[in-house]
Amino acid sequence: MYNNLKKQHPGLALKERIWVAARASYRDIFAGLMESLKEFDEGAYSWLVNHTYPKEWIRSHFRTSVKCDILLNNLCESFNSTILDARQKPILDMLETIKFYLMVRMEKKREWIKKYTGEICPKILKKLEKNKLAANDCIPSHSKDGKFEVRCMYGDRYTVHLISRCCSCRKWGLNGIPCAHAIAAICDIGEEPEKFVHDCYSKEAYMRAYEPMISPMNAEQMWKNSDMPPELSPENIKLPGRP
Ligand SMILES: [Zn+2]
């Protein structure tokens, strides 16, 4: 999206502003950031309004049910770079190379998680620790039934509801990891923040994800002959634009 925008609206300062807006976790703060972006570069603002869908690039518009706040497609990029060699091969060799890679990788993951003694996956614990540090700057006040008002440094104030596991900053809902405000409230009732991390980050969930097995395969000379006609390659169609 930014690569398209920068053709007409280049500049590092604008890029930074767009990143800040994309990371905004709730709508009111996003609206304010967009207003200041409009003052900074009205053309870029209009381009964003007319050419993009907020639910595709701004955290404040992401659904909280999916527990994913990722803004980049690095996941696909790294898979793509892994299969780069395989992609140069004819189709059967390509599929076999990818299949072999996944078979070995999934078993490695299964072996690793079996030995892991924690209940929550390590990268998530790291994020939680970071939020715990930030929670030191938050002062929680219990209203009733697990509802808190949390005041932070610099005058920020949020509402946390422990029973429905949400904070008005929306970060807890977006990624399932208690935000600093939520952690302040959780510690106030003498509970452990780890207990409030979403189940999708548990050791059990990880094991379930890697449970399916990819079977080993014999070499091609041991494959059964088929009486079907051989598969033909698709017709080569020249598409418009860059080949
Ligand atoms: Zn929060």
Side-chain angles (χ1 to χ4, degrees):
M1 181 197 89
Y2 177 72
N3 283 342
N4 286 330
L5 170 80
K6 79 173 176 192
K7 286 175 199 159
Q8 293 156 30
H9 305 276
L12 210 58
L14 175 68
K15 186 182 178 183
E16 268 310 306
R17 278 169 189 265
I18 292 171
W19 265 112
V20 173
R23 290 193 199 103
S25 61
Y26 57 97
R27 294 196 182 206
D28 294 329
I29 197 168
F30 167 71
L33 290 166
M34 284 302 274
E35 273 309 306
S36 89
L37 195 141
K38 191 179 178 181
E39 277 171 31
F40 182 76
D41 185 336
E42 192 158 356
Y45 170 85
S46 304
W47 191 94
L48 287 170
V49 169
N50 295 321
H51 292 85
T52 67
Y53 297 103
K55 65 173 185 176
E56 291 176 353
W57 67 279
I58 306 151
R59 279 194 184 134
S60 61
H61 290 63
F62 288 179
R63 282 174 297 144
T64 54
S65 54
V66 290
K67 302 294 167 238
C68 180
D69 61 356
I70 293 174
L71 292 168
L72 292 163
N73 62 345
N74 289 355
L75 207 76
C76 319
E77 300 290 349
S78 75
F79 182 68
N80 196 28
S81 76
T82 305
I83 64 165
L84 218 57
D85 281 344
R87 284 178 43 181
Q88 315 295 323
K89 297 179 178 177
I91 193 152
L92 272 184
D93 288 345
M94 179 190 78
L95 291 173
E96 278 219 76
T97 308
I98 296 173
K99 180 236 129 194
F100 181 78
Y101 165 74
L102 291 176
M103 181 185 83
V104 173
R105 180 184 160 86
M106 287 183 74
E107 178 57 10
K108 267 188 197 160
K109 295 282 176 187
R110 278 190 291 268
E111 286 300 317
W112 173 79
I113 195 70
K114 253 191 250 167
K115 288 179 201 142
Y116 182 66
T117 51
E119 289 189 3
I120 299 166
C121 293
K123 281 186 187 165
I124 303 304
L125 279 182
K126 224 180 196 176
K127 289 185 182 186
L128 189 70
E129 287 305 319
K130 204 173 148 199
N131 291 353
K132 279 183 190 174
L133 278 180
N136 290 331
D137 297 331
C138 304
I139 301 163
S141 302
H142 203 168
S143 162
K144 189 179 182 261
D145 300 334
K147 287 184 178 165
F148 281 81
E149 183 173 306
V150 182
R151 289 166 190 255
C152 315
M153 284 218 299
Y154 313 114
D156 284 8
R157 197 187 338 155
Y158 300 94
T159 51
V160 171
H161 191 195
L162 294 182
I163 294 164
S164 54
R165 299 193 170 204
C166 62
C167 173
S168 55
C169 81
R170 287 185 80 248
K171 286 179 186 168
W172 191 7
L174 280 170
N175 63 16
I177 306 167
C179 58
H181 324 117
I183 291 174
I186 292 164
C187 293
D188 195 65
I189 57 162
E191 284 285 355
E192 288 169 18
E194 284 77 3
K195 284 187 189 158
F196 289 78
V197 171
H198 196 275
D199 284 342
C200 66
Y201 301 121
S202 66
K203 181 176 172 175
E204 280 74 34
Y206 194 99
M207 288 171 94
R208 276 202 307 280
Y210 284 98
E211 177 61 30
M213 168 202 171
I214 296 178
S215 300
M217 266 172 74
N218 293 320
E220 202 172 335
Q221 68 265 25
M222 293 170 82
W223 295 1
K224 263 187 198 154
N225 279 326
S226 160
D227 50 8
M228 300 300 282
E231 201 77 57
L232 296 174
S233 60
E235 229 174 287
N236 197 2
I237 304 162
K238 202 174 171 224
L239 296 169
R242 199 172 64 165

